[in-house]
Amino acid sequence: MVHSSLIDGPAPAVRDKNLTELEYLAVSSPLNFADGHARQNLTPSQMQIIDDLPRLFRECVQTPVNELERRAISSYFTLLGQQGFPTGDKRVLSCYSSSVAMEIVARALITEVSSLMLLHPTFDNSPDILRGVGMKLVPLAEDQLHGDDLDPALLASVGALFVTTPNNPTGRVVSRDRLRALAGQCARHGKVLVLDTSFRGFDTRAHYDHYQVLEASGCRWMVIEDTGKIWPTLDLKVGWIVTSADLGLPVPKIYSDILLGVSPFVLNLIGRFAADAAAGGLAALHRFIAENRETVRCALAGIPGVRFPDPTNRGSVERIGLGTRSCLEVWQATRDRRVYVLPCQQFYWADPPVGGNSLRIALARPASSLALAVGELRSVLLAA
Amino acid sequence: MVHSSLIDGPAPAVRDKNLTELEYLAVSSPLNFADGHARQNLTPSQMQIIDDLPRLFRECVQTPVNELERRAISSYFTLLGQQGFPTGDKRVLSCYSSSVAMEIVARALITEVSSLMLLHPTFDNSPDILRGVGMKLVPLAEDQLHGDDLDPALLASVGALFVTTPNNPTGRVVSRDRLRALAGQCARHGKVLVLDTSFRGFDTRAHYDHYQVLEASGCRWMVIEDTGKIWPTLDLKVGWIVTSADLGLPVPKIYSDILLGVSPFVLNLIGRFAADAAAGGLAALHRFIAENRETVRCALAGIPGVRFPDPTNRGSVERIGLGTRSCLEVWQATRDRRVYVLPCQQFYWADPPVGGNSLRIALARPASSLALAVGELRSVLLAA
């Protein structure tokens, strides 16, 4: 049994923290399986890029930043099947991260709409950023998102639809047909469709050309892309805001309040990592994540009550259903063993208790440390 | 004469742009003297750090990020005389940039106060970010800021005081005695004092220990620090939010909505650049900027009507008074020669015409290209 002092001990404090605050507790720990950042080892060809950093730096001094940006965008978007990305003036804006991109998107949205429909569950910084600018949120359950047409009355009651695909933590992907239907419904109802595709790098099912579908739909749209999840570049990354030509929201203006642009060094680095990924690195990453997922599932198989609620997930995180165990108790017990994971309550931003019996574990980690962590988690679960 | 088509030509469009949008026009130009980013050449010892980037990267893999962050903060703050910076939990938060820091500060402030007093003139992204979250702004003229006690009725009418020191573009520095008086007044009136010290690296008059003064004052305060202005690190930089222990605003919470932390690679790099600066690099930078300022002043001396309104400025930008010439016309004429500077109207965010006859030129550039640019500017001014 997890010792009972935990029940009225740290649990309430943990419940009040957001997921990033819980990730922060883990950030300097060698057994950090909390955040979704890419912390696996560099591959040999990635190490060669790192050995080449001085030359990458000097290249930036000699190359116009617009050119480095154009190359980074082109190589990253096409790597992930997004050939139809727009190339017009200010249609793709480079940000320090996907969350900075989301803050700008939220600030732009709130100038026109006061409420939106947001996927449920999803990582809690999406609802927190949106609420932070004053947005009212209506939860959209995943089964509804992937089912038939959205309730017209519900859609009519909001100004926009915000969807994370692949979703975090469930890994569910909006298919091409489903995106076409959603964008069509948004077009007919005059709603803005916002996609956060930060985790798409891991899942080829999200590599169909979203921009082709969006451009054909006639709806107003924004997409947030992110290089920050797939490569162990020590959080040297870019988040992009991509917008429809007819969006009519002050995205470039608000962008210019926050930044002039991102580092040309980071853009150059991303171009190099994307080229390496196109030459086989991306497929190797997919195999690596699949093997780590298998490590988790095998090690925990057969423990009473434990299950994996996202069997088709290919993302770099895995949810673990705990049966009747409380995720906060298991979280605390694994933390006592210096292993950090995430409780899932906070992903259910509109109804936290629904997530009260599952954990999320990060897979973009060295295989050896993952095996160690899962061994500890297994011990905790067997005792609980 | 500047050709007359300019008077009703591009000027109105330029007037509607913010300063960052104007900087963006220049960002890929070899004669970009618009933005205040550090674009001078690397010194020989800085080049050695760049040659060492692969090792810096690998060090990060082996060192807890908290330790890299502690070192970067300690070396940067003490380099600039800020020995009294707080070390408590979440008292110093690392952001991607000073503007991201300001966005978080603005979002935190608006939860408690609805209006503040803001320095006038100052770089326009400060008023734009603050207004963007819904803040009402009351302008505070520089002479008032540096004069006697602030008008108690005016101070009573707002929730906070926001001061950039050294100011951009004027370079005026709030002295120790003046900071003590301002902080004391804020303490007595229960107002939050916010300082943006992003340009302090250039001016030793801003290297007295602000934190010692603030902590002793009893007021609630925030400071934005920034490594992004002084070193040519291709915009690999950190902005910090530093807060008083009793601030009582949700800064850490809003911070956690936007980011988990900055890149350990950037933190490590900043630690190295700060050590180099402490070993003589900072004094060399000050000489370099002073020489570039002298280049500008000498080249333009004696042109009828031209003057330098900020004789004691030590920052990396210089204002040029144009007499009766319109800054928009001169800006356009220099732009026609592929030289980009900034018109000063937008710095006067509450009264743009006041800045209508001055330009800002960036000094953190290679001396040779600055000489070329100033030669072009001289030709334009002699013809106008």
Side-chain angles (χ1 to χ4, degrees):
Chain A
M1 286 296 288
V2 173
H3 44 98
S4 63
S5 70
L6 292 172
I7 292 165
D8 45 16
V14 171
R15 205 175 289 132
D16 291 340
K17 290 191 189 298
N18 66 37
L19 292 166
T20 305
E21 290 176 301
L22 294 176
E23 290 175 354
Y24 187 77
L25 299 173
V27 86
S28 287
S29 162
L31 292 174
N32 164 18
F33 294 83
D35 63 64
H37 295 227
R39 301 183 187 279
Q40 69 272 31
N41 293 327
L42 293 162
T43 66
S45 57
Q46 289 172 340
M47 279 188 216
Q48 287 175 16
I49 301 174
I50 299 307
D51 287 334
D52 211 22
L53 288 184
R55 197 167 69 82
L56 260 72
F57 192 99
R58 292 194 168 88
E59 274 176 8
C60 298
V61 178
Q62 288 145 13
T63 315
V65 62
N66 290 3
E67 174 60 21
L68 294 167
E69 188 171 44
R70 195 196 58 73
R71 285 186 212 162
I73 291 169
S74 171
S75 54
Y76 188 77
F77 281 60
T78 56
L79 172 70
L80 304 182
Q82 306 307 305
Q83 281 81 1
F85 71 90
T87 54
D89 187 40
K90 296 180 183 164
R91 295 284 300 277
V92 184
L93 296 171
S94 304
C95 306
Y96 300 122
S97 70
S98 60
S99 296
V100 170
M102 195 178 307
E103 172 78 8
I104 294 168
V105 162
R107 286 267 309 273
L109 274 171
I110 198 70
T111 64
E112 183 186 305
V113 314
S114 58
S115 66
L116 59 73
M117 209 183 285
L118 176 68
L119 189 55
H120 187 261
T122 202
F123 196 81
D124 66 352
N125 85 328
S126 299
D128 287 345
I129 286 177
L130 291 163
R131 283 172 175 151
V133 303
M135 193 73 71
K136 281 187 292 254
L137 303 179
V138 176
L140 173 66
E142 280 204 303
D143 283 343
Q144 285 179 278
L145 174 71
H146 294 277
D148 293 330
D149 270 0
L150 303 180
D151 177 356
L154 208 59
L155 190 57
S157 74
V158 297
L161 172 62
F162 194 115
V163 173
T164 301
T165 174
N167 195 18
N168 174 8
T170 67
R172 285 184 76 171
V173 177
V174 173
S175 71
R176 188 196 304 258
D177 285 348
R178 190 68 195 127
L179 180 61
R180 192 177 289 130
L182 289 167
Q185 227 187 332
C186 284
R188 286 192 301 281
H189 286 80
K191 308 303 179 185
V192 181
L193 177 60
V194 187
L195 301 181
D196 178 350
T197 64
S198 293
F199 277 88
R200 79 152 101 229
F202 295 105
D203 196 329
T204 53
R205 292 170 300 184
H207 293 190
Y208 67 88
D209 190 344
H210 289 47
Y211 296 100
Q212 189 269 322
V213 175
L214 291 168
E215 292 282 33
S217 74
C219 82
R220 296 159 66 205
W221 54 264
M222 293 190 264
V223 179
I224 295 169
E225 304 270 0
D226 182 19
T227 76
K229 304 295 189 287
I230 62 175
W231 299 313
T233 50
L234 295 173
D235 283 332
L236 298 174
K237 60 190 175 184
V238 173
W240 279 293
I241 305 171
V242 195
T243 54
S244 62
D246 62 347
L247 182 65
L249 294 175
V251 174
K253 197 63 140 184
I254 293 168
Y255 175 88
S256 73
D257 288 348
I258 311 280
L259 71 163
L260 175 62
V262 301
S263 168
F265 179 75
V266 175
L267 292 167
N268 204 12
L269 185 72
I270 284 165
R272 289 289 296 272
F273 269 77
D276 177 74
L282 191 65
L285 174 67
H286 293 168
R287 289 192 298 275
F288 172 79
I289 294 293
E291 284 164 19
N292 275 358
R293 174 167 275 109
E294 205 50 30
T295 297
V296 172
R297 292 185 179 174
C298 286
L300 306 182
I303 300 176
V306 169
R307 52 185 281 278
F308 302 98
D310 310 309
T312 67
N313 189 356
R314 297 184 195 170
S316 61
V317 298
E318 175 78 352
R319 273 200 304 173
I320 302 164
L322 304 172
T324 56
R325 300 169 186 87
S326 149
C327 67
L328 296 183
E329 291 182 36
V330 175
W331 178 84
Q332 182 61 49
T334 54
R335 190 186 167 188
D336 290 345
R337 294 169 181 240
R338 300 286 175 271
V339 175
Y340 291 82
V341 291
L342 276 191
C344 283
Q345 296 204 140
Q346 285 87 333
F347 288 97
Y348 290 83
W349 51 271
D351 192 7
V354 178
N357 303 102
S358 52
L359 288 175
R360 191 194 79 168
I361 187 165
L363 301 177
R365 300 292 191 272
S368 56
S369 64
L370 180 68
L372 193 62
V374 175
E376 295 288 355
L377 179 56
R378 179 182 164 81
S379 299
V380 167
L381 291 172
L382 283 170
Chain B
M1 288 294 290
V2 174
H3 46 98
S4 64
S5 71
L6 291 171
I7 293 167
D8 46 16
V14 172
R15 206 174 288 133
D16 291 341
K17 290 192 188 299
N18 66 37
L19 292 166
T20 305
E21 290 175 301
L22 295 176
E23 290 174 354
Y24 187 77
L25 298 174
V27 84
S28 286
S29 162
L31 291 175
N32 164 17
F33 294 83
D35 63 64
H37 295 227
R39 301 183 188 279
Q40 68 273 29
N41 293 327
L42 293 162
T43 65
S45 57
Q46 288 172 341
M47 279 189 216
Q48 287 176 15
I49 301 174
I50 300 307
D51 287 334
D52 210 22
L53 288 183
R55 197 167 68 83
L56 260 71
F57 192 99
R58 293 194 167 86
E59 275 176 8
C60 297
V61 178
Q62 289 145 13
T63 315
V65 62
N66 291 2
E67 174 59 20
L68 294 167
E69 187 171 43
R70 195 196 58 72
R71 284 185 214 164
I73 292 169
S74 172
S75 54
Y76 188 77
F77 282 59
T78 55
L79 172 70
L80 303 183
Q82 306 307 305
Q83 281 81 1
F85 73 89
T87 53
D89 188 40
K90 295 180 184 167
R91 294 283 302 277
V92 183
L93 296 171
S94 304
C95 305
Y96 300 122
S97 69
S98 59
S99 296
V100 170
M102 195 176 309
E103 173 78 8
I104 294 168
V105 163
R107 286 267 309 272
L109 274 171
I110 199 70
T111 65
E112 182 186 306
V113 314
S114 58
S115 66
L116 59 74
M117 210 184 286
L118 176 67
L119 188 55
H120 187 261
T122 202
F123 197 81
D124 67 351
N125 85 328
S126 300
D128 287 345
I129 286 176
L130 291 162
R131 283 171 174 152
V133 303
M135 194 73 72
K136 282 187 291 254
L137 304 180
V138 176
L140 174 65
E142 280 204 304
D143 284 342
Q144 285 180 278
L145 174 71
H146 294 278
D148 292 330
D149 270 1
L150 303 180
D151 176 357
L154 207 61
L155 190 57
S157 74
V158 297
L161 172 63
F162 193 114
V163 174
T164 302
T165 175
N167 194 18
N168 174 9
T170 67
R172 286 184 76 170
V173 177
V174 173
S175 70
R176 187 198 303 260
D177 284 348
R178 190 69 195 126
L179 180 61
R180 192 178 289 128
L182 289 166
Q185 227 187 333
C186 284
R188 286 192 300 280
H189 286 81
K191 308 303 178 186
V192 181
L193 176 59
V194 187
L195 301 182
D196 178 350
T197 63
S198 292
F199 277 88
R200 80 152 100 230
F202 295 104
D203 197 330
T204 52
R205 292 169 301 184
H207 292 191
Y208 67 87
D209 190 344
H210 289 48
Y211 296 100
Q212 188 267 325
V213 175
L214 291 168
E215 292 283 31
S217 73
C219 82
R220 296 158 67 204
W221 55 263
M222 294 192 263
V223 179
I224 296 170
E225 304 269 0
D226 181 19
T227 76
K229 304 296 190 285
I230 62 174
W231 297 314
T233 50
L234 295 173
D235 283 332
L236 299 173
K237 60 191 175 185
V238 173
W240 279 293
I241 305 171
V242 195
T243 54
S244 61
D246 62 347
L247 183 65
L249 293 175
V251 174
K253 197 64 141 184
I254 293 169
Y255 174 88
S256 74
D257 289 348
I258 312 280
L259 71 164
L260 176 61
V262 301
S263 167
F265 179 75
V266 175
L267 292 168
N268 204 11
L269 185 71
I270 284 165
R272 289 290 294 273
F273 269 77
D276 177 74
L282 192 64
L285 175 66
H286 293 168
R287 287 192 299 274
F288 173 79
I289 295 293
E291 283 163 19
N292 276 358
R293 175 167 275 110
E294 204 51 29
T295 296
V296 173
R297 291 185 180 175
C298 286
L300 305 182
I303 300 176
V306 170
R307 53 184 281 278
F308 301 98
D310 309 309
T312 65
N313 189 356
R314 297 185 195 170
S316 62
V317 298
E318 175 78 352
R319 272 200 305 173
I320 302 165
L322 305 172
T324 56
R325 300 170 186 86
S326 149
C327 68
L328 297 182
E329 291 181 37
V330 175
W331 178 84
Q332 182 61 48
T334 55
R335 191 186 167 188
D336 289 346
R337 295 169 180 241
R338 300 286 176 270
V339 175
Y340 291 82
V341 291
L342 276 190
C344 283
Q345 295 203 143
Q346 286 87 333
F347 288 97
Y348 290 83
W349 52 270
D351 192 7
V354 178
N357 302 102
S358 54
L359 289 175
R360 191 194 79 169
I361 187 165
L363 302 177
R365 298 294 190 272
S368 56
S369 64
L370 179 68
L372 192 62
V374 174
E376 295 287 355
L377 180 55
R378 179 182 164 80
S379 300
V380 167
L381 291 173
L382 283 171

